[in-house]
Amino acid sequence: MGELNYQKEKELQEIKKIEDRIELLTQKIIDKRPTKFKMRDLMHDFFASLLVGLTIIFKGHLYKLAETMTIYHVVLVFISTIIILTAAIYFGSYININNKKEWPFFTFWIKRLTGFYAVALIVAFFLIFIFGFNVLLIEPSGLIKVAISLAMPCSIGAAIPTLIKES
């Protein structure tokens, strides 16, 4: 009798696992619930951002360009970056969500935007300092100009893994 109860309990556990997997698939495929933004996602974003940043920083003209940029140019680059990331977040992920009441756009957007831009700035400063571009800059404000300019392509690169995963 004990062996029969053990088998029955084991089968019930297996059925529960199958039900949980079906629920997860239902959430992902039918309900189109986005996955939670995890540390693993940030690592994917970091490496994608790094790849794009490496291709940009070696062009060598970024620090020269930063010397000629005014504050208006820097603000325009920053605003353009936010607009591009917002479009990527909305059209790449948010538009696919069926239950938008459960996932308000602002909270969905701010988490992803903050993650993408923070990763991009970290990568930008890392690349600037590791390759010594900070030494080439004449003005201290040039460092911020280069970082914000480099953060634009880096942040778009950071968004690529999420766009691929959510599509």
Side-chain angles (χ1 to χ4, degrees), residues 11 24 49 53 66 70 72 97 100 118 120 132 138 143 147:
E11 287 175 2
L24 181 64
S49 180
T70 66
Y72 301 110
I97 298 172
K100 292 188 175 31
I138 297 168
L143 179 65

PDB file of all heavy atoms in Angstrom, residues 11 24 49 53 66 70 72 97 100 118 120 132 138 143 147:
ATOM      1  N   GLU A  11       3.461  10.764  -9.241  1.00  0.00           N
ATOM      2  CA  GLU A  11       2.708  11.121 -10.448  1.00  0.00           C
ATOM      3  C   GLU A  11       2.025  12.468 -10.284  1.00  0.00           C
ATOM      4  O   GLU A  11       1.980  13.267 -11.226  1.00  0.00           O
ATOM      5  CB  GLU A  11       1.678  10.030 -10.760  1.00  0.00           C
ATOM      6  CG  GLU A  11       2.297   8.765 -11.310  1.00  0.00           C
ATOM      7  CD  GLU A  11       1.283   7.647 -11.504  1.00  0.00           C
ATOM      8  OE1 GLU A  11       0.081   7.856 -11.251  1.00  0.00           O
ATOM      9  OE2 GLU A  11       1.708   6.559 -11.928  1.00  0.00           O
ATOM     10  N   LEU A  24       3.161  28.577 -17.867  1.00  0.00           N
ATOM     11  CA  LEU A  24       4.229  29.452 -18.334  1.00  0.00           C
ATOM     12  C   LEU A  24       4.132  29.663 -19.843  1.00  0.00           C
ATOM     13  O   LEU A  24       4.255  30.793 -20.330  1.00  0.00           O
ATOM     14  CB  LEU A  24       5.591  28.860 -17.962  1.00  0.00           C
ATOM     15  CG  LEU A  24       6.810  29.672 -18.357  1.00  0.00           C
ATOM     16  CD1 LEU A  24       6.816  31.009 -17.611  1.00  0.00           C
ATOM     17  CD2 LEU A  24       8.086  28.905 -18.061  1.00  0.00           C
ATOM     18  N   SER A  49      26.019  46.127 -26.010  1.00  0.00           N
ATOM     19  CA  SER A  49      26.441  47.522 -25.955  1.00  0.00           C
ATOM     20  C   SER A  49      27.950  47.643 -26.146  1.00  0.00           C
ATOM     21  O   SER A  49      28.432  48.531 -26.866  1.00  0.00           O
ATOM     22  CB  SER A  49      26.016  48.115 -24.611  1.00  0.00           C
ATOM     23  OG  SER A  49      26.398  49.452 -24.512  1.00  0.00           O
ATOM     24  N   GLY A  53      29.804  49.649 -29.012  1.00  0.00           N
ATOM     25  CA  GLY A  53      30.711  50.704 -28.567  1.00  0.00           C
ATOM     26  C   GLY A  53      32.127  50.524 -29.081  1.00  0.00           C
ATOM     27  O   GLY A  53      32.792  51.501 -29.450  1.00  0.00           O
ATOM     28  N   ALA A  66      33.500  65.753 -30.266  1.00  0.00           N
ATOM     29  CA  ALA A  66      33.017  66.210 -28.957  1.00  0.00           C
ATOM     30  C   ALA A  66      33.553  67.604 -28.622  1.00  0.00           C
ATOM     31  O   ALA A  66      32.865  68.385 -27.961  1.00  0.00           O
ATOM     32  CB  ALA A  66      33.422  65.224 -27.877  1.00  0.00           C
ATOM     33  N   THR A  70      28.285  71.779 -28.901  1.00  0.00           N
ATOM     34  CA  THR A  70      27.788  72.713 -27.892  1.00  0.00           C
ATOM     35  C   THR A  70      26.848  71.948 -26.963  1.00  0.00           C
ATOM     36  O   THR A  70      26.515  70.782 -27.211  1.00  0.00           O
ATOM     37  CB  THR A  70      27.026  73.875 -28.545  1.00  0.00           C
ATOM     38  OG1 THR A  70      25.844  73.360 -29.168  1.00  0.00           O
ATOM     39  CG2 THR A  70      27.893  74.610 -29.569  1.00  0.00           C
ATOM     40  N   TYR A  72      23.779  72.379 -26.704  1.00  0.00           N
ATOM     41  CA  TYR A  72      22.563  72.074 -27.464  1.00  0.00           C
ATOM     42  C   TYR A  72      22.698  70.760 -28.225  1.00  0.00           C
ATOM     43  O   TYR A  72      21.762  69.985 -28.311  1.00  0.00           O
ATOM     44  CB  TYR A  72      22.213  73.227 -28.419  1.00  0.00           C
ATOM     45  CG  TYR A  72      21.992  74.524 -27.688  1.00  0.00           C
ATOM     46  CD1 TYR A  72      22.898  75.573 -27.797  1.00  0.00           C
ATOM     47  CD2 TYR A  72      20.882  74.687 -26.857  1.00  0.00           C
ATOM     48  CE1 TYR A  72      22.706  76.754 -27.106  1.00  0.00           C
ATOM     49  CE2 TYR A  72      20.679  75.867 -26.159  1.00  0.00           C
ATOM     50  CZ  TYR A  72      21.590  76.895 -26.292  1.00  0.00           C
ATOM     51  OH  TYR A  72      21.390  78.052 -25.599  1.00  0.00           O
ATOM     52  N   ILE A  97       2.095  43.061 -25.977  1.00  0.00           N
ATOM     53  CA  ILE A  97       1.416  42.688 -24.740  1.00  0.00           C
ATOM     54  C   ILE A  97      -0.095  42.807 -24.926  1.00  0.00           C
ATOM     55  O   ILE A  97      -0.593  43.842 -25.365  1.00  0.00           O
ATOM     56  CB  ILE A  97       1.877  43.581 -23.569  1.00  0.00           C
ATOM     57  CG1 ILE A  97       3.364  43.396 -23.330  1.00  0.00           C
ATOM     58  CG2 ILE A  97       1.079  43.283 -22.307  1.00  0.00           C
ATOM     59  CD1 ILE A  97       3.939  44.356 -22.326  1.00  0.00           C
ATOM     60  N   LYS A 100      -2.594  45.178 -21.324  1.00  0.00           N
ATOM     61  CA  LYS A 100      -1.852  46.407 -21.047  1.00  0.00           C
ATOM     62  C   LYS A 100      -2.231  47.031 -19.711  1.00  0.00           C
ATOM     63  O   LYS A 100      -1.487  47.837 -19.171  1.00  0.00           O
ATOM     64  CB  LYS A 100      -2.035  47.386 -22.189  1.00  0.00           C
ATOM     65  CG  LYS A 100      -1.352  46.885 -23.458  1.00  0.00           C
ATOM     66  CD  LYS A 100      -1.350  47.921 -24.539  1.00  0.00           C
ATOM     67  CE  LYS A 100      -0.603  47.572 -25.785  1.00  0.00           C
ATOM     68  NZ  LYS A 100      -0.476  46.283 -26.251  1.00  0.00           N
ATOM     69  N   ALA A 118      21.708  53.034 -18.504  1.00  0.00           N
ATOM     70  CA  ALA A 118      22.747  52.842 -17.482  1.00  0.00           C
ATOM     71  C   ALA A 118      23.859  51.943 -18.015  1.00  0.00           C
ATOM     72  O   ALA A 118      25.050  52.242 -17.846  1.00  0.00           O
ATOM     73  CB  ALA A 118      22.141  52.255 -16.209  1.00  0.00           C
ATOM     74  N   ALA A 120      24.616  51.508 -21.135  1.00  0.00           N
ATOM     75  CA  ALA A 120      25.304  52.251 -22.188  1.00  0.00           C
ATOM     76  C   ALA A 120      26.306  53.249 -21.607  1.00  0.00           C
ATOM     77  O   ALA A 120      27.428  53.378 -22.122  1.00  0.00           O
ATOM     78  CB  ALA A 120      24.286  52.978 -23.066  1.00  0.00           C
ATOM     79  N   GLY A 132      42.091  55.262 -23.188  1.00  0.00           N
ATOM     80  CA  GLY A 132      42.796  56.521 -22.991  1.00  0.00           C
ATOM     81  C   GLY A 132      42.270  57.712 -23.763  1.00  0.00           C
ATOM     82  O   GLY A 132      42.993  58.698 -23.943  1.00  0.00           O
ATOM     83  N   ILE A 138      40.671  68.035 -24.535  1.00  0.00           N
ATOM     84  CA  ILE A 138      41.252  69.286 -24.060  1.00  0.00           C
ATOM     85  C   ILE A 138      40.468  69.813 -22.858  1.00  0.00           C
ATOM     86  O   ILE A 138      41.044  70.174 -21.847  1.00  0.00           O
ATOM     87  CB  ILE A 138      41.284  70.337 -25.202  1.00  0.00           C
ATOM     88  CG1 ILE A 138      42.194  69.838 -26.325  1.00  0.00           C
ATOM     89  CG2 ILE A 138      41.756  71.683 -24.687  1.00  0.00           C
ATOM     90  CD1 ILE A 138      42.087  70.621 -27.610  1.00  0.00           C
ATOM     91  N   LEU A 143      34.727  65.088 -21.819  1.00  0.00           N
ATOM     92  CA  LEU A 143      34.486  63.725 -21.344  1.00  0.00           C
ATOM     93  C   LEU A 143      32.987  63.408 -21.321  1.00  0.00           C
ATOM     94  O   LEU A 143      32.564  62.352 -21.786  1.00  0.00           O
ATOM     95  CB  LEU A 143      35.093  63.541 -19.953  1.00  0.00           C
ATOM     96  CG  LEU A 143      34.905  62.173 -19.313  1.00  0.00           C
ATOM     97  CD1 LEU A 143      35.637  61.106 -20.112  1.00  0.00           C
ATOM     98  CD2 LEU A 143      35.390  62.190 -17.880  1.00  0.00           C
ATOM     99  N   ALA A 147      31.019  60.806 -23.712  1.00  0.00           N
ATOM    100  CA  ALA A 147      30.251  59.738 -23.063  1.00  0.00           C
ATOM    101  C   ALA A 147      28.807  59.737 -23.536  1.00  0.00           C
ATOM    102  O   ALA A 147      28.254  58.680 -23.862  1.00  0.00           O
ATOM    103  CB  ALA A 147      30.323  59.886 -21.548  1.00  0.00           C
TER     104      ALA A 147
END
